[in-house]
Amino acid sequence: MTRLLASLVLISGLAHAGDPMTIDVHRDPNCGCCSAWIEHLEGNGFTVNDHLEDDMRSVKQEAGVPAELASCHTAIIDGRFIEGHVPAADILALSDKPDVVGLAVPGMPVGSPGMEMGDRQDAYKVIAVNDEGEQKVFNTYP
């Protein structure tokens, strides 16, 4: 019986591992780079629920995004905020960071996902916010 239970747990876990991750993206309807970021997410296996918003300030406040980390769009995944042009790989890495309540790429750095402009690549940082509100660098590009 123990082997059967272990096998069922393993099979269930494998089936769940292949499921696409769903993310809710809140954006201004007139933002073109937000659509490009959504395409980046979808190209990396995310299922995106796209929400057009008239009041992004309220969305950011409700999600707990610190004002100094604000960008053009705000996403929510598994109760955590994703602010701005955060690469999909960093969002996926959140599963190993239970104390992180959100990730942010402040501003709109050229070369970040959705902000591609030819060969230009500005340096930028992905900032993690923990459950105590502390901020630290999660990743740096390039």
Side-chain angles (χ1 to χ4, degrees), residues 96-107:
D96 296 333
K97 308 287 184 189
D99 64 324
V100 174
V101 298
L103 294 177
V105 171

Side-chain angles (χ1 to χ4, degrees), residues 21 23 25 33 36-46 71 73 75 77 81-95 102-116 121-128 137-142:
M21 294 186 67
I23 188 167
V25 177
C33 69
W37 186 67
I38 288 172
E39 289 175 14
H40 165 74
L41 293 177
E42 291 172 336
N44 282 278
F46 286 87
S71 185
H73 51 265
I77 186 165
F81 71 80
I82 307 297
E83 180 67 10
H85 295 267
V86 176
D90 291 327
I91 299 169
L92 293 170
L94 275 176
S95 63
L103 294 177
V105 171
M108 299 169 66
V110 174
S112 61
M115 289 295 298
E116 295 89 352
Q121 176 78 42
D122 292 347
Y124 67 95
K125 296 175 182 175
V126 177
I127 307 298
V137 175
F138 188 80
N139 208 345
T140 58
Y141 295 88

